Amino acid sequence: MIDLYCASYARPPREVTLDIDDTVDVVHGTQQLSLFNTHHGERCFLPIHVYETATARPVAVLLRSGKTPSGREVRGHIRRLVRRIRMHWPHTRLTIRGDSHYGRHEAMAWCEANGVDYIFGVGGNDVLDRQVDVAADDVRVRHAEGEAPVVRRYAETRYGAKAWKCERRVAARIEATCNGLDIRYVVTNIARGSAEWLYDTLYCERGQAENLIKLHKSQLASDRTSCRSPLANQVRLLLHTAAYWLMLTLRDAIPKPQPLANAEFTTLRLRLIKIAARVIETATRVRIAFAASCPQAELFGGIARWFQPAAP
């Protein structure tokens, strides 16, 4: 899958940002690797998905057991991912982005040692709260004075958890609303940019990866991992990812002014795939005849010309 992703570029990009996340895949039998997950309250898998959200391209989908990944496991997945990409793109700058499940010391230390940028969510605690208390107090006061219904500020500090064995850059988003004070933290080895840019622009863009996972699961049914063998279920995930690539390639072929250029996969399937047509085969060509009132007739012609190989 990683080879296919790299081959989708005509030339190596200067830099890419990859989002890594896991999603619950509820099982309904005795599939191997399935475990009961207390957070989700279900017996499930927690497959890992990796996307480049800027282009919506899938990079890797890996079936795994239904437990939260450990630091060693996260490090192993990132190591294999980066090494395979660097076989194709040795000079491309890589940034790994993920939630607090992936903000583990083992993963961060490996990224630092191998020239990979990262930004991960990190859970708050009393030590971090004390370090940003001045900014948090200012937000509380401004909200109490009624300046705005929502008051937000950003701060950054150096923090080193006992398990980290070193200090790292941590950015905080501090927000006061009628529901109280809310503080979110991210940890990164990126030296450039303000705390606001790190959180609001760089980190929050990872939310798009969750939308891509929803496309993969709900619109391509990739959670149908009902085989007993993990290998068979991994093959199922690969087949669903192949379907994702086909739908993404079709959508990318639609000109941007067209309303379907940003459509979801279900809409594309109903408007461009599950339609009636007459197929006429001759010795030299295949003709597809649509109804005279077909609303997407002109778009079909444009897509066909886009997919046609260029003349030598």
Side-chain angles (χ1 to χ4, degrees), residues 47-63:
I48 286 179
H49 291 240
V50 182
Y51 294 90
E52 184 196 350
T53 54
T55 59
R57 296 173 182 176
V59 182
V61 181
L62 177 67
L63 185 77

Side-chain angles (χ1 to χ4, degrees), residues 5-292:
Y5 162 71
C6 293
S8 67
Y9 280 87
R11 61 180 61 87
R14 187 172 63 88
E15 60 180 355
V16 294
T17 299
L18 305 179
D19 288 285
I20 182 170
D21 201 359
D22 52 66
T23 182
V24 61
D25 180 357
V26 178
V27 302
H28 303 283
T30 57
Q31 292 97 317
Q32 297 174 9
L33 292 184
S34 64
L35 293 174
F36 183 82
N37 188 287
T38 305
H39 175 74
H40 297 288
E42 298 280 0
R43 191 172 181 86
C44 62
F45 301 127
L46 283 181
I48 286 179
H49 291 240
V50 182
Y51 294 90
E52 184 196 350
T53 54
T55 59
R57 296 173 182 176
V59 182
V61 181
L62 177 67
L63 185 77
R64 54 177 304 280
S65 61
K67 63 178 181 179
T68 302
S70 64
R72 292 182 61 186
E73 182 183 356
V74 172
R75 179 184 61 191
H77 292 320
I78 292 177
R79 180 177 64 239
R80 288 187 290 272
L81 174 71
V82 170
R83 287 179 176 175
R84 192 70 184 185
I85 291 176
R86 282 183 169 166
M87 288 176 59
H88 301 273
W89 303 338
H91 304 297
T92 297
R93 185 170 185 171
L94 301 177
T95 300
I96 306 295
R97 187 166 54 189
D99 61 16
S100 57
H101 283 178
Y102 299 90
R104 307 301 182 92
H105 168 70
E106 295 90 342
M108 292 186 286
W110 187 89
C111 289
E112 291 161 354
N114 290 273
V116 177
D117 292 340
Y118 65 81
I119 182 165
F120 297 123
V122 61
N125 54 50
D126 293 340
V127 176
L128 277 171
D129 291 345
R130 285 196 299 269
Q131 291 182 349
V132 300
D133 186 61
V134 174
D137 188 59
D138 174 65
V139 170
R140 279 191 293 259
V141 171
R142 287 163 54 196
H143 181 263
E145 291 175 347
E147 290 188 9
V150 178
V151 178
R152 178 178 290 188
R153 182 176 170 181
Y154 301 86
E156 68 173 84
T157 184
R158 302 288 299 181
Y159 170 70
K162 290 183 179 179
W164 292 3
K165 303 176 183 177
C166 65
E167 288 191 345
R168 294 185 169 97
R169 185 186 185 190
V170 174
R173 189 271 285 154
I174 308 166
E175 183 177 88
T177 65
C178 59
N179 295 322
L181 188 70
D182 180 51
I183 306 178
R184 303 293 178 90
Y185 300 96
V186 294
V187 59
T188 182
N189 65 341
I190 300 173
R192 67 187 188 280
S194 64
E196 180 177 1
W197 176 80
L198 284 172
Y199 189 89
D200 267 3
T201 301
L202 183 59
Y203 181 72
C204 286
E205 285 181 353
R206 64 166 295 274
Q208 178 62 17
E210 298 180 6
N211 294 328
L212 301 180
I213 291 175
K214 289 178 183 177
L215 288 178
H216 205 284
K217 287 179 60 178
S218 64
Q219 299 190 20
L220 296 176
S222 65
D223 56 351
R224 293 182 180 176
T225 48
S226 55
C227 294
R228 182 178 179 83
S229 164
L231 181 59
N233 285 323
Q234 178 64 56
V235 171
R236 280 175 174 258
L237 282 177
L238 292 176
L239 293 175
H240 287 291
T241 305
Y244 183 107
W245 269 110
L246 290 173
M247 297 301 292
L248 182 64
T249 303
L250 174 62
R251 188 173 69 181
D252 288 345
I254 300 174
K256 294 305 177 186
Q258 293 283 344
L260 293 181
N262 298 313
E264 294 192 346
F265 291 166
T266 297
T267 303
L268 294 178
R269 184 167 62 246
L270 293 175
R271 302 283 294 275
L272 298 179
I273 297 177
K274 296 180 67 174
I275 61 172
R278 177 181 295 175
V279 180
I280 305 171
E281 297 186 32
T282 64
T284 58
R285 65 184 61 190
V286 176
R287 297 180 182 271
I288 302 177
F290 298 100

